[in-house]
Amino acid sequence: MFAYAGTYSVEHDRIVHHIDMSWNQSWEGTEQVRYLETDGRTLLYRSAPAQNPLDGKDCVHTVRFEKITSTSSH
């Protein structure tokens, strides 16, 4: 789980989160950059490479959002 709050700014291919509070107190007062890719149907949201807190190995966290179109009529 990742949870944080604050403001953000959007650039061409990234979003920068300006962290006011976080589940991980070491993130408070930092900027967290997430990289964006989209093709109009899918949005990929990726972190910068970082150490996994569980095993210490480098990793990139990725979240994928996909637009689903409804085929039913109302």
Side-chain angles (χ1 to χ4, degrees), residues 61-73:
H61 298 279
T62 302
V63 177
R64 180 177 183 221
F65 298 95
E66 187 172 334
K67 182 178 182 179
I68 298 173
T69 56
S70 174
T71 57
S72 65
S73 60

Side-chain angles (χ1 to χ4, degrees), residues 1-72:
M1 178 191 86
F2 294 96
Y4 48 83
T7 60
Y8 64 91
S9 54
V10 179
E11 298 174 12
H12 174 69
D13 64 344
R14 68 192 74 198
I15 185 167
V16 181
H17 298 272
H18 312 281
I19 308 298
D20 292 328
M21 61 166 56
S22 173
W23 69 278
N24 179 347
Q25 290 182 345
S26 68
W27 283 10
E28 292 180 11
T30 68
E31 293 185 343
Q32 298 293 315
V33 178
R34 304 295 180 255
Y35 299 93
L36 308 172
E37 292 178 38
T38 185
D39 63 8
R41 180 178 164 88
T42 303
L43 170 65
L44 291 178
Y45 182 90
R46 293 190 172 116
S47 70
Q51 282 190 337
N52 184 317
L54 300 176
D55 62 16
K57 295 180 181 179
D58 283 343
C59 66
V60 173
H61 298 279
T62 302
V63 177
R64 180 177 183 221
F65 298 95
E66 187 172 334
K67 182 178 182 179
I68 298 173
T69 56
S70 174
T71 57
S72 65

